[in-house]
Amino acid sequence: MNLSMEIRKANVLDANNIAQLAQSIQLNLTNPQQSGFLVYTHPAEEYARRIAMTDFFYVAEESGDIVGYLMCYDYPTLQQLTSLANLNYED
């Protein structure tokens, strides 16, 4: 099997797949030993907005499927998110 991973900048069309991936690795607080690690996730619309807001949102793809993502914010973007009251502990 020849799997290759591509890392690329995310675009807003990736938001649904990112949201689905995030949900699949979200921590289940009633059974934390048997579940994922993300405490907070966002709806697809919020991921799309954050993709549009920052230059530092990347996805990892294998065979056309998104298998990972990284979102980072510079200080102006953090200020903007703070002004929208749209930050949580995972941000």
Side-chain angles (χ1 to χ4, degrees), residues 31-84:
N31 194 5
Q33 293 81 13
Q34 301 296 318
S35 64
F37 60 91
L38 283 181
V39 177
Y40 299 99
T41 61
H42 303 287
E45 299 79 21
E46 183 59 26
Y47 285 113
R49 181 165 55 149
R50 290 172 184 230
I51 290 167
M53 289 175 73
T54 184
D55 290 329
F56 308 109
F57 203 130
Y58 292 87
V59 294
E61 282 186 325
E62 283 184 347
S63 302
D65 295 324
I66 293 177
V67 296
Y69 66 94
L70 170 72
M71 58 179 175
C72 301
Y73 310 112
D74 58 9
Y75 188 68
T77 304
L78 281 174
Q79 288 180 309
Q80 187 176 8
L81 287 168
T82 302
S83 73
L84 298 170

Side-chain angles (χ1 to χ4, degrees), residues 10 17 88 91:
N17 291 331
N88 61 42
D91 289 319

